[in-house]
């Protein structure tokens, strides 16, 4: 499949904001994890090329707004999904809005650590190089070398295991870039 243009005039003509409404039952991070998980499932089921951004992203958090980007048809399909009912009580959903002509752009992509310490240590235990106790000790002392980016606590549909989906925010530019979105709505470029 060839990459779809993400230029405003070709594809990303509209957006919808999902303003999280944390209450007494959910912290902002817990609610973001839940809403992001439901949006991920909507994207997987609809196979839509919808992008996600975080307008209030900062070094320690994703903020309280999750923005969906795409064309009107894709956004309407996503908003009409039965899964959207799961989050309606926890978010304020804006109307579909045209991207302004003077909009600025940035890429949000999944960031991965250069090395997965736990996987490396499991392999070392399996190969008999270190014991399980040594591996646990090394993992706890090396946690500081992990990525220092905001993340979503996600759950794998296949293994049912939780993992951190780190999100990196690119520099602001005046022009969008070409590419496609992953099933998480993040840039593949």
């Amino acid at each position: 499949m060839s990459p779809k243009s993400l230029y405003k005039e070709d594809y990303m003509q509209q957006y919808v904001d999902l303003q999280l409404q944390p209450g007494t039952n959910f912290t902002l991070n817990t609610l973001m994890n839940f809403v992001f998980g439901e949006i991920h499932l909507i994207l997987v089921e609809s196979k839509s090329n919808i992008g996600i951004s975080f307008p209030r992203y900062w070094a320690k958090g994703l903020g309280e707004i999750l923005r969906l980007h795409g064309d009107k048809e894709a956004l309407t399909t996503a908003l009409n999904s039965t899964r959207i009912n799961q989050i309606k009580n926890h978010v304020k959903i804006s109307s579909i809005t045209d991207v302004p002509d003077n909009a600025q752009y940035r890429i949000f992509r999944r960031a991965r650590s250069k090395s997965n310490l736990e996987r490396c240590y499991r392999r070392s235990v399996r190969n008999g190089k270190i014991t399980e106790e040594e591996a646990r000790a090394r993992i706890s002392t090396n946690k500081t070398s992990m990525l220092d980016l905001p993340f979503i606590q996600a759950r794998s549909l296949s293994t049912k295991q939780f993992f951190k989906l780190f999100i990196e925010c690119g520099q602001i530019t005046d022009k969008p870039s070409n590419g496609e979105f992953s099933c998480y709505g993040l840039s593949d470029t």
Side-chain angles (χ1 to χ4, degrees), residues 83-102:
R83 289 196 177 276
I84 211 76
N85 293 328
Q86 301 282 345
I87 63 173
K88 275 189 175 176
N89 292 334
H90 306 290
V91 297
K92 180 179 173 186
I93 302 173
S94 75
S95 58
I96 296 175
T97 306
D98 289 338
V99 173
D101 290 333
N102 62 346

Side-chain angles (χ1 to χ4, degrees), residues 8-46:
K8 178 181 178 269
E9 52 275 337
D10 295 335
Y11 178 71
M12 285 185 21
Q13 300 170 359
Q14 284 86 27
Y15 69 92
V16 171
D17 282 344
L18 304 178
Q19 170 86 40
L20 278 61
Q21 306 290 306
T24 55
N25 296 337
F26 295 106
T27 65
L28 181 61
N29 288 341
T30 301
L31 189 53
M32 180 61 84
N33 294 338
F34 173 67
V35 170
F36 187 90
E38 290 301 313
I39 296 300
H40 163 62
L41 293 174
I42 289 170
L43 297 179
V44 168
E45 290 169 357
S46 68

Side-chain angles (χ1 to χ4, degrees), residues 9-156:
E9 52 275 337
D10 295 335
Y11 178 71
M12 285 185 21
Q13 300 170 359
Q14 284 86 27
Y15 69 92
V16 171
D17 282 344
L18 304 178
Q19 170 86 40
L20 278 61
Q21 306 290 306
T24 55
N25 296 337
F26 295 106
T27 65
L28 181 61
N29 288 341
T30 301
L31 189 53
M32 180 61 84
N33 294 338
F34 173 67
V35 170
F36 187 90
E38 290 301 313
I39 296 300
H40 163 62
L41 293 174
I42 289 170
L43 297 179
V44 168
E45 290 169 357
S46 68
K47 296 180 175 44
S48 296
N49 198 27
I50 290 177
I52 292 178
S53 69
F54 305 90
R56 303 263 169 85
Y57 180 100
W58 62 295
K60 298 295 180 191
L62 298 170
E64 73 283 356
I65 297 174
L66 191 150
R67 182 172 287 169
L68 306 178
H69 303 267
D71 62 33
K72 189 172 189 173
E73 181 182 342
L75 293 172
T76 301
T77 299
L79 294 176
N80 289 330
S81 166
T82 56
R83 289 196 177 276
I84 211 76
N85 293 328
Q86 301 282 345
I87 63 173
K88 275 189 175 176
N89 292 334
H90 306 290
V91 297
K92 180 179 173 186
I93 302 173
S94 75
S95 58
I96 296 175
T97 306
D98 289 338
V99 173
D101 290 333
N102 62 346
Q104 293 183 307
Y105 302 86
R106 51 175 28 160
I107 291 176
F108 288 86
R109 69 172 53 95
R110 181 178 184 178
R112 295 179 190 248
S113 173
K114 296 277 186 228
S115 64
N116 181 328
L117 291 175
E118 291 179 25
R119 186 187 70 226
C120 292
Y121 289 139
R122 276 195 309 267
R123 186 179 309 127
S124 293
V125 169
R126 193 173 48 245
N127 293 336
K129 295 180 181 176
I130 60 173
T131 67
E132 286 186 40
E133 293 78 27
E134 289 172 316
R136 276 194 289 277
R138 289 182 186 181
I139 289 171
S140 65
T141 59
N142 289 325
K143 285 284 187 191
T144 56
S145 65
M146 297 298 211
L147 292 174
D148 189 26
L149 292 170
F151 62 88
I152 298 287
Q153 187 72 35
R155 187 171 188 181
S156 168

